[in-house]
Amino acid sequence: MRVLALAVVLVAGPVWAKTCDVRAFGAKGDGTTKDTAAIQKAINACDHVVLSGGTFLTGPIVLKSNTTLEVKEGATLLGSPDMGDYPKVTFARQPTVQPLVSSLNAEHVVITGGGIIDGNGHVWWEYVAGIKDAGVLGTDHPRPMGLVFDHSKHVRVENITVQNAGFWQIVPYYADDVVIRNVTILAPHSPNTDAIDPFSSSHIVIDHVRSSVGDDNIAIKSGAINSPGPDAPSTYITITDCTFENGHGLSIGSEIAGGVQHVHAERIHFKGTDNGIRIKANRDRGNDVSDITFKDIDMADVKIAILVSEYYPKVYPEGDVAAAPVGRLTPKFHDISIENVTATGSDVAGVVVGLPESPVVGLSLKHVAIEAKAGMKIAYAQVVMDHVAVDAAEGEGITVSPTATVVKK
């Protein structure tokens, strides 16, 4: 009887992952037929969904828990150009449209395969041409994001190209344990097409990513402008061995109403970005930003090498600035380390400027060498410099305002 019982357990025991090709569910992969329903049926029925050897035109699809979406090399998941295929939804408390690929309250989601996920964003970029504030969530001209992992855990995006989403490309939103590795992200010369935006998310690994986009290469966020709260912070984010080309740089902010802590970026290469290292906020969107480290960074032809400003979208305040009351959304930048940085061909070496009521404190610059047309300006800040050299073609290398304290070692 014991042998028989064991046999029954073995037969009825492990449930193995079911692998399905989307063509078995009616997908054509001809680049013309809309394969949305067929792809979604495959996702609903299977654990491992495969796209191979074709261009699969689709509207939004949603991944469930324990799903692997494999877009094989030579295959493309292509977003539909028909705006009507993207239903209206709410995201981050704001009205928008459904992303091309998303998960909601899902766990153990994998996107991989060596192929391409293309948002076909040109129609959306034309749609917002000339529209004021088109890059802000909640406008009357919403655009679909590329990949959104909403309140999801244990997500892996590896060995894939993500490109041309109508809006932000990859967004972990209130997500935990997300790895984005060996990924190429492309949308150069397009509006507000951030490559990766961790938003109120934790334990994020961004590794060996190359991005060339129309906005931030990375923008760590945690809350909207004038957010009523509550907002969760973004924490424990590691960014390593990445190359950033066209784009606005590696940013924290500007919308950080929940705060950002424990970010480590190392071995990052910038080539022609608008900014290099950038931490940005303002009185209407800030919070605590601390325990931030940038190490082993090289930049070539970056317009502003280092930017730490609590006046975004301005870089530096104009004229005298009066202190304001400290509130929930006051930026508080402290305990920031920037080490082993070289930059050549910059327009501006850097700007470090806090608010009168909330100066930047605990900022350390160590072994930093920058060659630029204009130097570095520091105001409303406490900075420690160790082996910092700024070679400015015009004016002083480093200008320190009476409102700032700089200690040189």
Side-chain angles (χ1 to χ4, degrees), residues 279-296:
I279 304 175
K280 51 179 179 168
N282 206 326
R283 288 169 171 145
D284 60 355
R285 65 192 76 181
N287 206 313
D288 181 271
V289 175
S290 58
D291 189 21
I292 312 294
T293 62
F294 300 92
K295 186 177 180 182
D296 299 338

Side-chain angles (χ1 to χ4, degrees), residues 180-352:
I180 302 169
R181 176 175 285 132
N182 294 326
V183 173
T184 298
I185 306 172
L186 304 174
H189 313 297
S190 55
N192 320 112
T193 49
D194 297 12
I196 303 174
D197 285 5
F199 194 127
S200 295
S201 293
S202 296
H203 305 104
I204 310 296
V205 172
I206 300 169
D207 177 62
H208 283 88
V209 169
R210 181 177 77 87
S211 73
S212 180
V213 292
D215 209 309
D216 291 305
N217 300 88
I218 291 176
I220 301 171
K221 302 175 182 289
S222 64
I225 301 168
N226 293 313
S227 169
D231 299 288
S234 282
T235 61
Y236 298 103
I237 297 173
T238 302
I239 305 160
T240 50
D241 297 293
C242 294
T243 298
F244 300 141
E245 297 168 358
N246 198 81
H248 292 180
L250 197 172
S251 300
I252 296 174
S254 67
E255 305 96 323
I256 44 175
V260 176
Q261 298 93 36
H262 317 306
V263 175
H264 179 75
E266 188 169 3
R267 299 183 303 279
I268 312 298
H269 311 283
F270 295 88
K271 299 178 181 179
T273 53
D274 283 1
N275 304 276
I277 296 166
R278 183 163 68 154
I279 304 175
K280 51 179 179 168
N282 206 326
R283 288 169 171 145
D284 60 355
R285 65 192 76 181
N287 206 313
D288 181 271
V289 175
S290 58
D291 189 21
I292 312 294
T293 62
F294 300 92
K295 186 177 180 182
D296 299 338
I297 310 289
D298 65 82
M299 308 181 194
D301 302 321
V302 171
K303 291 179 182 178
I304 304 178
I306 297 172
L307 174 60
V308 180
S309 174
E310 297 180 346
Y311 291 89
Y312 184 82
K314 293 181 180 179
V315 172
Y316 199 85
E318 298 174 2
D320 295 332
V321 180
V326 174
R328 189 181 76 87
L329 298 179
T330 302
K332 306 171 188 70
F333 294 175
H334 62 101
D335 297 300
I336 301 165
S337 174
I338 300 174
E339 182 177 355
N340 294 342
V341 175
T342 60
T344 58
S346 291
D347 290 343
V348 177
V351 172
V352 177

Side-chain angles (χ1 to χ4, degrees), residues 7-31:
V8 171
V9 169
L10 288 175
V11 170
V15 177
W16 304 107
K18 182 178 180 182
T19 300
C20 301
D21 191 302
V22 294
R23 284 188 171 86
F25 290 77
K28 302 298 183 184
D30 58 13

Side-chain angles (χ1 to χ4, degrees), residues 3 87 99 157 249 258 261 279 299 318 361 371 400:
V3 173
V157 181
Q261 298 93 36
I279 304 175
M299 308 181 194
E318 298 174 2
V361 297
E371 297 177 6
V400 181

